[in-house]
Amino acid sequence: MSDPFHEGPAAAKARKMRSVMIAVALVAFVVIVFVVTIVKIAANIGHGAG
Amino acid sequence: MTEVSLSYAVADPPATTAPALWWDYLALLKPRVMSLVVFTGLTGLVCADTPMNPILAAVAVLCIAVGAGASGALNMAYDQDIDAIMRRTRGRPVAAGRIGRGDAAAFGFVLAGFSVMLMGLAVNYLAAALLLFTIVFYALVYTVWLKRSTPQNIVIGGASGALPPVIGWAAATGHTPLNAWLLFAIIFLWTPPHFWALALNSGGDYEKAGVPMMPVVKGAKFTRLQILLYTLVLAPVAVLPAFTGLGGVAYFAVSVAGGAGFLFLAARLWRSQAGEAALPGPDGLYSVKPGAKQGRDLFAYSILYLSALFAALLIEHSVKAFS
C-alpha cells in the first residue's frame, strides 16, 4: 500500500478509506443536485404547459 | 488542604494515538440525535398535508439531517475540553483525540454550508433560513454561550432541537402556521424534563467539567421540582393538537395516556431522592445512588413518549394522504 507520508500502514489505510468516503459523498451530492435540477425543470415545464 | 478545581480549562487536547476512521466522522454527526431530528422533521413535513414531490421531500429531510449533524460536529469541536472530562462523552472522536478540533470544525462548517445551500436551492428559502438559524443557535448560542454560563442552558438551547418539525412544515408549504409552532412547543417543553432526568445522575461529571447544569447549581430537589412543573405544562400542551385539527382520535388517546404516564413518573421522581449524595450500601462496601432508577425510568419514558406522539401524527396524516 502507498504510504507517501510515512505514517504507518494503519494510518495510511484509514486515510485511504476517508478519501474514498469523501469521494462517495461528493458523487452523491452531484447526483442529488442533478436529480433536483431535473425535477425542478420538469415542474416548471409542467407549469408552463398548463 | 486539597484544592478541587472546577475549571474546564485544565483539560489539554489529548495526543492523537489512533488514526481517525471514516466512521469517526459519522460519529461527529451524533447519529442518535440525528435520528430523532429526522423523525420530527419528517412529521412536520407530512403534517403540512401539502402535496410535495417525493424527491424534493427526501432532499428536505436529508438537509435537516445533515444540518443537525453539522451542529453536532461544531458542538464536539468546541466542547472537546469538557467532553474529555465527562464519562458520557469522553469516548467521542474529538474528546478521545482521534479527530482534531480544527478538522471537526471544518467538517461541521462544510456540512452546514452544503445543507443550507441545498435546502435553499432545492426546496425554499424559508426552510433554508430556519435550518441556518437552528445550526447557528445550537453551535453558537447554546454551545459557546449558554452551556457554560447558565443552568437554563438546555431550556433556551432546546429551541434548536424543537425547530426541525417547523423546518419540515416550511419545506412543504413555504410558511409556518400555528400548528407547526405547536409541534415546536411540545419538543421545547419536553426537553428540560428529558435532559434533567439524565443530568440528575450525572451531576458529578458536570460539576467536574464546570458545566452549570441545573442539579449542580440549584441542587437535586429543585431540579426534581422543575421536572414536575415542566411536565405539568407539557402534558396538556401535548394534547392541544387534538383540538386544533392537527391530531385525530388516535393522537388524542396517545397524548392523554402518554401524558398521564409522564406525570406519574415525574411525580415519582419528585418524591424520590434522585440526584442526592450516594448512600452506603447495606454491607457498607458499596454506595447506592438514591432515585437512580426513577431518573433512568423517566429519561427512557420521555423518549418513548415523544416518539409515540409524533408517530401518531405521522401515521394519521400518512393515512389521510393515501386515502
Side-chain angles (χ1 to χ4, degrees):
Chain A
M1 181 180 291
S2 67
D3 188 7
F5 303 109
H6 308 291
E7 56 201 341
K13 188 182 173 194
R15 183 172 47 77
K16 188 180 175 189
M17 280 310 296
R18 293 198 303 269
S19 301
V20 168
M21 294 313 289
I22 290 171
V24 169
L26 285 175
V27 169
F29 181 71
V30 169
V31 170
I32 288 170
V33 170
F34 177 76
V35 172
V36 164
T37 306
I38 297 297
V39 168
K40 301 281 262 189
I41 289 174
N44 285 336
I45 290 172
H47 279 294
Chain B
M1 191 178 122
T2 309
E3 191 174 318
V4 179
S5 172
L6 293 180
S7 169
Y8 45 75
V10 292
D12 292 325
T16 302
T17 50
L21 303 170
W22 66 268
W23 55 79
D24 282 325
Y25 282 86
L26 208 61
L28 279 182
L29 308 180
K30 298 190 178 178
R32 273 190 295 185
V33 176
M34 191 196 271
S35 62
L36 195 61
V37 165
V38 165
F39 181 49
T40 56
L42 176 68
T43 304
L45 191 144
V46 172
C47 284
D49 291 333
T50 303
M52 188 179 184
N53 184 296
I55 292 173
L56 296 184
V59 169
V61 173
L62 178 71
C63 288
I64 294 173
V66 175
S71 307
L74 292 169
N75 170 273
M76 284 195 209
Y78 190 80
D79 277 349
Q80 179 271 330
D81 51 354
I82 56 177
D83 280 352
I85 295 170
M86 296 194 287
R87 275 170 296 182
R88 187 174 66 86
T89 53
R90 63 187 173 199
R92 289 176 173 176
V94 183
R98 294 192 299 277
I99 295 178
R101 294 179 91 165
D103 289 345
F107 187 59
F109 280 122
V110 168
L111 290 185
F114 273 72
S115 60
V116 171
M117 181 184 70
L118 188 59
M119 184 74 104
L121 293 175
V123 185
N124 63 56
Y125 291 124
L126 177 63
L130 285 167
L131 182 62
L132 177 63
F133 177 81
T134 304
I135 296 168
V136 170
F137 196 85
Y138 186 78
L140 217 61
V141 179
Y142 170 70
T143 302
V144 175
W145 177 36
L146 295 171
K147 186 170 178 179
R148 300 175 190 229
S149 61
T150 168
Q152 296 295 331
N153 47 16
I154 56 109
V155 178
I156 308 166
S160 53
L163 274 167
V166 183
I167 301 172
W169 202 302
T173 65
H175 59 270
T176 56
L178 201 61
N179 273 336
W181 291 105
L182 199 49
L183 296 179
F184 170 90
I186 291 169
I187 303 177
F188 185 75
L189 291 168
W190 166 88
T191 304
H194 164 75
F195 218 100
W196 285 334
L198 176 73
L200 270 176
N201 289 324
S202 319
D205 265 9
Y206 286 114
E207 194 172 351
K208 266 190 273 179
V211 178
M213 285 299 287
M214 187 65 83
V216 176
V217 178
K218 298 282 188 180
K221 191 177 177 186
F222 183 82
T223 306
R224 294 196 303 270
L225 177 64
Q226 291 290 307
I227 289 174
L228 181 62
L229 293 176
Y230 268 97
T231 308
L232 281 167
V233 180
L234 167 67
V237 167
V239 181
L240 280 180
F243 299 97
T244 63
L246 182 58
V249 179
Y251 179 82
F252 179 74
V254 169
S255 61
V256 170
F262 207 135
L263 271 171
F264 169 76
L265 290 176
R268 196 180 70 158
L269 182 66
W270 174 59
R271 285 196 309 268
S272 77
Q273 298 290 306
E276 307 290 352
L279 303 167
D283 54 5
L285 291 176
Y286 59 91
S287 294
V288 176
K289 267 193 169 179
K293 183 184 183 306
Q294 285 88 335
R296 276 198 311 269
D297 286 352
L298 184 67
F299 177 74
Y301 182 85
S302 66
I303 298 171
L304 185 72
Y305 171 73
L306 192 72
S307 303
L309 289 180
F310 278 76
L313 287 174
L314 191 61
I315 292 167
E316 282 183 342
H317 285 267
S318 299
V319 168
K320 197 198 289 184
F322 288 106
S323 59

